[in-house]
Every structure is written in structure tokens, then in C-alpha cells.
């Protein structure tokens, strides 16, 4: 994808979520963009930025450069890009799981705890995606080592969020599905 | 060939004299490089976690960098509170460039010739 394709898609994602970022003056807005774009890309490959886990990551230098270059367009959410159904579905899930307590308007502040949880979610997703079924303890240890400023509860919530967002029904074995079905029948 | 080797050595010695010995440490070079990488700036905690240094050392180093004009700090909104964000200034970029040029000369002088 070209740089223009990527940033157009980012604008479409922000438009769908109702986020109008003030790139120049609002660190929160830039932080939100980095995490949302990473999670959407991990779930749907909507964009193809390279991300590092460091520097309050997941963080993409290319994304950073592009949102500064196109700050005016992003603030007006002017874009020609369209989102697929899969991309809209992923964004809806991201909004529900991670953003429900974060104001999507740059004008309204929200607690840093929600931003910390979003950072933990992105960090956990980075490893969940690259390592097949990482053990919970190992994942916790990695995130805690990389992000010591995050509280343990924030990390645990972030790991749960990441697992929920990246849940792939195909990974679940037939026997587990049977157990779930049996349990549901028992409940009813 | 000899003249070329002498030029490299001379260039390295010359570049070494131009470096500010106050800032050429691993953590300081890393600070400049990381601030160059994230041009929108980094928070204090971002630098502390990346560098793995004590608060005392980091605060002193950042203060020295500000006094030298290498970086600036400003407050920005983040998660309902104000945070201090450090960004690299042109003098900081120039200092990093001098370090990179010096490192290129080190690589050149310690190259294949003496194997």
C-alpha cells in the first residue's frame, strides 16, 4: 500500500469511530491513533505500517510522519477510502472493548487509566499475534517488563482485551466447542 | 593508500575534538537517537523505560540538554492530565549528526586494512 492509501484508510477508521484529532496540540489524539491503527491492522490488515513495541508502543514512525503531513485532512476526516465490512466490524469491536470509557473527542478529557489499558491491550496484542497461544504468565511478564509504568490490573485487563479482539474461532478445538455447546444446553 | 588512511585518521581525530564530551555517553547518545526517531516528542517515562537509568541521572541529563539547546519541553494534554513532552531541537539534531559522522569514521578507521 502507498503512504497515501494508508493515511486515507486511517482517516476512514477515525471517521467511523467519530474521532477528530487535533494532531498538533493533543498528545492523547496521537496516542489513540497509534493504538487504534495498530489494533485494526492486526485484526484486518487494513494498513501496513511497521510498528515497534517500544516508545509507548505499539508505535509507528511512518504513521507518525503521515499524520503530521496530513493533519488538516485528518482533523476534517476528509477521505476517499472506504472500509470493508470486516474492517467496520473490527473497529466496532475495538470501540466496544477498548474505547467505551475513552472519550473519542479530543476536547473531553478521560482518565489516564483507560489510556494505560489501551496501551496494555496493544502491547499484549503485539505478542498474541506473533506467538501462537502464549502462556498467560509469560505474556504478563513480557508486558510488565516492557511497560513498568503500567499497573498489574491494567496489564491483566489489556491481555484479556487482546485475547478477545484476536480470538479466532478456528483455533478452538472441536472438543472445546462441544463442551461449550453442552454447557449452553445445560444452562437452557 | 597511505594518504587516504592518514586522512581517515586525521578526520576521526578532528571529529573527536568537535564532539561535546559532556554528551557522548551511551544513555545520552540513545536519548538523542530516540528523540530523533519520534519527532513528535517523548514523555519522561518513555525515556526512562527505554534508557533504564535512575530518575536523578535522567533529570540531570535532560536539564543539561535543555541548557545546551538540544531539546525543548512543553506540556500537552494526555488522558485528562498535563504531561511534559520533550522534542529534539535543531541543535540536538546537529549534535546527533556529529556523533553519527564520528561513528562512521570509527568504523572506517577500524576497517578491514589491519586484519
Amino acid at each position: 500500500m502507498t503512504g497515501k492509501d494508508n493515511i486515507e484508510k486511517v482517516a476512514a477508521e477515525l471517521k467511523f469511530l467519530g474521532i477528530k484529532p487535533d494532531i498538533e496540540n493533543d498528545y492523547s489524539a496521537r496516542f489513540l491513533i497509534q493504538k487504534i491503527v495498530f489494533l485494526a491492522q492486526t485484526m484486518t490488515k487494513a494498513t501496513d505500517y511497521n510498528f515497534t513495541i517500544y516508545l509507548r508502543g505499539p508505535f509507528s514512525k511512518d504513521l507518525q510522519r503521515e499524520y503530521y503531513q496530513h493533519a488538516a485532512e485528518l482533523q476534517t476526516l476528509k477521505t476517499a477510502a472506504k472500509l470493508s465490512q470486516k474492517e467496520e466490524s473490527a473497529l466496532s469491536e475495538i470501540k466496544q472493548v477498548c474505547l467505551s470509557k475513552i472519550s473519542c473527542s479530543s476536547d473531553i478529557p478521560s482518565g489516564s487509566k483507560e489510556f494505560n489499558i489501551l496501551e496494555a491491550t496493544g502491547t499484549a496484542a503485539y505478542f498474541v499475534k506473533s506467538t501462537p497461544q502464549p502462556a498467560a504468565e509469560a505474556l504478563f511478564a513480557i508486558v510488565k517488563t516492557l511497560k513498568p509504568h503500567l499497573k498489574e490490573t491494567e496489564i491483566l485487563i489489556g491481555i484479556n482485551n487482546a485475547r478477545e479482539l484476536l480470538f479466532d474461532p478456528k483455533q478452538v478445538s472441536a472438543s472445546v466447542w462441544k463442551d461449550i455447546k453442552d454447557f449452553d444446553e445445560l444452562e437452557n | 593508500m597511505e594518504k587516504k588512511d592518514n586522512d581517515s585518521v586525521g578526520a576521526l581525530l578532528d571529529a573527536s575534538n568537535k564532539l561535546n564530551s559532556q554528551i557522548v555517553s551511551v544513555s545520552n547518545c540513545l536519548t538523542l537517537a530516540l528523540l530523533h526517531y519520534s519527532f513528535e516528542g517523548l514523555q519522561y517515562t518513555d525515556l526512562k523505560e527505554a534508557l533504564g537509568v535512575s530518575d536523578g541521572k535522567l533529570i540531570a541529563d535532560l536539564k543539561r540538554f535543555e541548557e545546551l539547546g538540544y531539546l525543548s519541553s512543553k506540556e500537552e494534554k494526555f488522558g485528562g492530565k498535563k504531561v511534559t513532552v520533550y522534542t529534539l531541537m535543531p541543535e540536538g539534531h546537529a549534535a546527533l549528526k556529529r556523533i553519527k559522522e564520528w561513528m562512521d569514521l570509527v568504523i572506517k578507521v577500524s576497517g578491514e586494512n589491519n586484519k
Side-chain angles (χ1 to χ4, degrees):
Chain A
M1 292 177 78
T2 64
K4 192 155 171 27
D5 290 337
N6 270 328
I7 200 64
E8 289 271 353
K9 189 66 89 167
V10 170
E13 290 172 353
L14 297 177
K15 191 173 181 178
F16 181 84
L17 293 170
I19 297 174
K20 277 193 175 184
D22 179 4
I23 297 292
E24 298 284 346
N25 302 307
D26 192 352
Y27 189 98
S28 307
R30 303 195 297 266
F31 181 92
L32 272 181
I33 293 173
Q34 289 279 352
K35 304 303 174 273
I36 288 167
V37 170
F38 172 78
L39 288 170
Q41 179 171 304
T42 302
M43 294 167 76
T44 67
K45 295 188 172 65
T47 48
D48 62 2
Y49 292 107
N50 285 322
F51 284 87
T52 176
I53 199 61
Y54 300 99
L55 304 180
R56 209 169 284 267
F59 168 76
S60 168
K61 183 178 168 63
D62 293 330
L63 173 57
Q64 178 192 69
R65 184 185 62 243
E66 286 177 12
Y67 57 60
Y68 268 98
Q69 280 176 354
H70 300 276
E73 292 99 309
L74 284 176
Q75 192 145 23
T76 58
L77 298 178
K78 187 180 168 186
T79 177
K82 302 278 182 231
L83 296 174
S84 67
Q85 195 175 354
K86 183 183 175 186
E87 288 161 358
E88 287 188 354
S89 177
L91 289 167
S92 295
E93 213 178 332
I94 291 167
K95 186 172 184 176
Q96 188 190 350
V97 171
C98 304
L99 304 180
S100 57
K101 291 183 183 173
I102 292 178
S103 167
C104 289
S105 163
S106 302
D107 297 327
I108 304 171
S110 54
S112 59
K113 177 182 162 190
E114 283 70 34
F115 282 89
N116 284 350
I117 290 172
L118 182 58
E119 184 179 350
T121 304
T123 306
Y126 186 94
F127 292 105
V128 168
K129 190 68 179 175
S130 59
T131 309
Q133 299 181 5
E137 293 87 358
L139 192 51
F140 180 87
I142 289 170
V143 177
K144 185 67 187 165
T145 303
L146 280 172
K147 307 290 177 86
H149 65 279
L150 297 177
K151 293 183 184 146
E152 293 184 351
T153 47
E154 291 164 348
I155 294 173
L156 287 170
I157 294 169
I159 289 173
N160 279 344
N161 288 349
R163 287 193 191 280
E164 185 175 343
L165 290 172
L166 298 179
F167 174 68
D168 179 3
K170 293 188 213 119
Q171 299 271 340
V172 181
S173 66
S175 64
V176 173
W177 280 123
K178 186 181 177 308
D179 286 345
I180 292 171
K181 190 183 165 199
D182 290 345
F183 185 76
D184 284 343
E185 283 169 2
L186 207 62
E187 280 227 300
N188 296 328
Chain B
M1 181 67 76
E2 189 178 350
K3 187 171 187 297
K4 192 178 175 183
D5 284 346
N6 282 342
D7 283 343
S8 299
V9 172
L12 173 58
L13 294 173
D14 189 47
S16 299
N17 286 332
K18 288 178 183 161
L19 284 182
N20 185 337
S21 58
Q22 282 187 312
I23 62 145
V24 185
S25 67
V26 172
S27 64
N28 284 341
C29 291
L30 198 46
T31 300
L32 292 176
L34 292 175
L35 286 170
H36 172 79
Y37 187 83
S38 176
F39 66 82
E40 70 184 19
L42 293 171
Q43 287 185 43
Y44 176 86
T45 44
D46 302 333
L47 287 167
K48 186 163 189 289
E49 284 177 1
L51 298 171
V53 297
S54 67
D55 285 314
K57 177 166 169 48
L58 183 55
I59 289 168
D61 288 344
L62 291 173
K63 188 171 176 231
R64 184 166 58 243
F65 277 165
E66 276 193 273
E67 286 166 358
L68 290 169
Y70 289 178
L71 56 84
S72 69
S73 61
K74 68 171 182 174
E75 283 198 334
E76 289 198 50
K77 296 187 288 182
F78 181 51
K81 58 181 183 177
K82 296 277 189 186
V83 293
T84 302
V85 178
Y86 296 93
T87 47
L88 206 59
M89 300 299 286
E91 290 84 358
H93 284 288
L96 183 61
K97 186 166 181 266
R98 284 193 293 276
I99 293 168
K100 282 157 64 178
E101 286 167 353
W102 179 80
M103 287 167 69
D104 284 339
L105 286 166
V106 169
I107 291 167
K108 193 174 181 181
V109 167
S110 59
E112 300 290 331
N113 291 343
N114 293 329
K115 269 195 175 175

